Amino acid sequence: MLALSKVGAPRLGLVLGSGLGRYAERLSGATRLPYSELRGFPVSTVPGHAGCLWIGRLGSVPAAVMQGRVHLYEGRSTAEVVFGVRVLAQLGIETLCVTNAAGGIRPDLEPGDLMRITDHVNLSGQNPLVGPNDDRFGPRFPDMTAAYSPELARHLDAAADSVGVRLATGVYCQFLGPSYETPAEIEMARRAGADAVGMSTVPEVIVANHMGVPVAAVSCITNRAAGLASRPLSHAEVAETAARVEHSFGNVLDAFAARLA
Ligand code: HPA
């Protein structure tokens, strides 16, 4: 692929979540490939998910950036949801950084905060590894003890610190969606150990672990989760808050990429 020969094989893979897609424009020497032109790549139907693969450099690091993703709630299969991450892994990325928009459950997680994901609870009811195992990708029963790499966690924390951004930490819980959760479901998730809630990320993290690719992940807390806010949840609020943190979010990712150089 011409885009790859220009910058070299990507070392960093990045998945940009709801409202966070504009970060891709920070790549230098970039080639932008619409998913619709890439065979097999599913195209998102959600506003705020552009649907392009960008190949370029973040600082000096060759990177492949997924601007937008497809979700299980769009009716896509788990195989479609993880297709992009599997492509990035096969391109040889050494680090996957996944981002998303999430509702804050823990009281200190307020709209506009960034949270490094330390672990997850999968309440989506699905797992992308169900079915025959493809031994070329990884083992039948992959270990998920350190699904979010402790080494990359140290890099993310140091990156945030270096640009003066507070990076909280917490457990992310994925529901299937697309309806937002009920207050009772949020209370259940809280009791299960969740600090933030969303509708993505877990399948991608599972396949990256399966393929032996270390994962870092950041949630942008866009709203208080259901039952914890005074107003009803809306996608507009999610998109608005994500746009508001664009700058600090971008600075953290820039500093993170620089540490991988
Ligand atoms: N719930 C589920 N997904 C989300 C939320 C939420 O509160 N906020 C952003 N994505």
Side-chain angles (χ1 to χ4, degrees), residues 101-103 180-181 197-199 222-223 225 233 238:
Y180 286 114
E181 303 70 32
V197 63
M199 304 177 193
T222 52
N223 55 283
L233 269 57
V238 169

Side-chain angles (χ1 to χ4, degrees), residues 13-15 69 96-100 117 201 204-205 215-219:
L14 184 59
V15 182
R69 53 154 70 88
L96 177 69
C97 181
V98 189
T99 68
N100 60 41
I117 301 177
T201 300
E204 289 128 309
V205 171
V215 174
V218 179
S219 288

Side-chain angles (χ1 to χ4, degrees), residues 19 110-113 221-222 238-249:
E110 289 177 12
D113 284 348
I221 305 297
T222 52
V238 169
E240 262 165 48
T241 314
R244 180 155 63 80
V245 301
E246 198 168 27
H247 187 70
S248 50
F249 172 79

Side-chain angles (χ1 to χ4, degrees), residues 7 12 23 26-29 56-63 253-255 257-258 261:
V7 293
L12 169 64
Y23 179 73
R26 293 208 193 186
L27 283 176
S28 60
R57 280 178 186 274
L58 280 176
S60 63
V61 181
L253 290 185
D254 281 351

